[in-house]
Amino acid sequence: MDNKERTLGVLPLAMFAIGTTLASGVFTLSGDFAAGGAYTLASLIGWLICGVGMFGLTMCFFKLSVVKKELTSGIYTYAREGFGEYIGFNSAWGYWMSAILAQLSFITLLFGTLGNYSSLFGNGSNLFSCVIASIVIWALSFLVMRGVNQAVVLNTVVVIAKAVPIVVVVVAIILGGAFSWDIFTQNFGGTGELSLMEQVKATVYTTVWIFIGIEGAVVISGRGRTTKIAGQATIISFASLFGLYFLISFLSMGVMPAEELAALENPSLGGVLEAVVGPWGASLVNVAVVISVGGAMFSYTILCIDSAFGPAQCGAFPAILAKKNKHGAPTWSVIVTALIIQVFIVIIYFNDATFQACYALSTSAIMVPYVFSAFYYFKVVAKGEDKEYEGGKRFIPWLIAIVGAVYGIWLLYASGVTYIFVATLLYAPGTLMYLYNRKKQGRKLFDSTVDIIVCIALVVAAVAAIVMTVNGTIVWF
């Protein structure tokens, strides 16, 4: 990056990262842990694992952005450079699918929230909601096709809309004396229906979901005046986000028992605030969700399209997805992305999908690119490719690499067999694009025997997942 672009200080960098990552999950995490079966002790352990592991993963992204600054396509090129073209392709494909499924999550949350005021919207995935969602998605896609890719004022409004109810919740609970230690410790370890480990594993999808976007926010650290400033901003932004998320979760568990938190309608933060200050609290959160999630849908429309356009520029996806129109928009990336989202909208309608189910799928899709990025940094450190940038210091790089890699393994383990099989159904269709593109480029289909083995294993797992879906063993939504 040109030195003229490295102008930002610690605070602007940190605020950008916080604003980019702080999304819809903050409005529902109060009830999501409990709904998954996690009681207080398991939630606290889940937060501890998330704090250590996600910080390690975040620092892996930051270190790679410094050591491998030439890999400008980030999460895709990390997997490609570390583990070959096929793994790199799957990482790019998974990131694209994750962004698309995140958009579906916003749709169900937005219209589910509107359903609190009008039965027309139901739970956010009924016919009326899906029709309106389709219109909105194609309208946003049209705007992008016309070259609209920035909305500074909208982003500012969205950040404020997210911040106000969060501040109100924290202040109201603390100053209003609504936190009860007896409620917090009630059934502290659970009721025995789920083991402590199963409860902890149930927190994984929520904790990863609320931090999705941190990888993109870290990339902007390259605009920091110095590497030290960029590193400080990365640490501050993560610490701020983690502290905020943990505080909301912690305080909520002291306001309502786990059983009541689990029964709250989306957005559960509204139910918590209503219990503290009355109905107007729920209304405040609902309005904030509508504004912030509506803005997030615009941002994610661009992210979904960029997730197809970037790999196409690098040759991982078909070149047609990188072709731009006269407005500078990647025409076919826009169209194909909108079509895939449309297909998923139809799927969530027939499955009556919830916000939580959609974001669990989005999270399962992004775990592969996250894990391979962590593994790649471990590989970089093991080969000593970072020594030039670390000044001979090895303890911190090794610590970050190990924590990131171990957390990656934990994510795969905690996901469970069901979501791993579901993930193969998301990934397997991408192999058809990979094979088509390789043939179109006149290249051999696979570069190594390992790639062939991975492909066969993926296809076999996907077929098994289809069989289990048909007989009802696996339920997608």
Side-chain angles (χ1 to χ4, degrees), residues 170-211:
V170 173
V171 172
I173 293 175
I174 295 175
L175 296 185
F179 182 89
S180 168
W181 187 253
D182 289 336
I183 292 176
F184 184 78
T185 56
Q186 182 178 326
N187 292 327
F188 191 70
T191 59
E193 294 182 15
L194 292 176
S195 69
L196 181 61
M197 177 58 75
E198 289 300 315
Q199 292 180 57
V200 173
K201 288 164 63 177
T203 67
V204 165
Y205 283 98
T206 300
T207 53
V208 174
W209 167 250
I210 59 179
F211 277 104

Side-chain angles (χ1 to χ4, degrees), residues 76 88-97 304 306-322 333 430 433-434 436-437 441:
Y76 153 64
F89 168 84
N90 277 289
S91 186
W93 176 269
Y95 196 74
W96 189 25
M97 291 300 103
C304 290
D306 286 346
S307 298
F309 174 68
Q313 279 191 310
C314 296
F317 287 3
I320 192 172
L321 295 177
S333 283
M433 177 189 283
Y434 173 82
Y436 166 80
N437 194 42
Q441 294 171 343

Side-chain angles (χ1 to χ4, degrees), residues 11 80 84 224 306 341 399 465:
L11 186 59
R80 184 196 66 191
D306 286 346
I341 294 175
L399 180 62

Side-chain angles (χ1 to χ4, degrees), residues 1-76:
M1 179 175 290
D2 193 305
N3 287 333
K4 292 182 179 179
E5 295 181 283
R6 300 177 65 92
T7 59
L8 298 180
V10 172
L11 186 59
L13 284 173
M15 291 304 296
F16 176 86
I18 293 170
T20 300
T21 309
L22 185 63
S24 61
V26 72
F27 297 114
T28 64
L29 67 85
S30 295
D32 286 354
F33 280 0
Y39 283 77
T40 306
L41 178 58
S43 297
L44 294 176
I45 295 173
W47 279 119
L48 176 63
I49 294 173
C50 170
V52 175
M54 189 57 74
F55 178 68
L57 182 60
T58 301
M59 291 307 295
C60 284
F61 285 123
F62 171 69
K63 291 291 187 180
L64 285 172
S65 72
V66 174
V67 177
K68 296 291 182 179
K69 58 174 67 73
E70 71 278 8
L71 302 181
T72 55
S73 293
I75 210 163
Y76 153 64

Side-chain angles (χ1 to χ4, degrees), residues 248 385 393:
I248 290 173
E385 295 178 7
K393 298 177 182 178

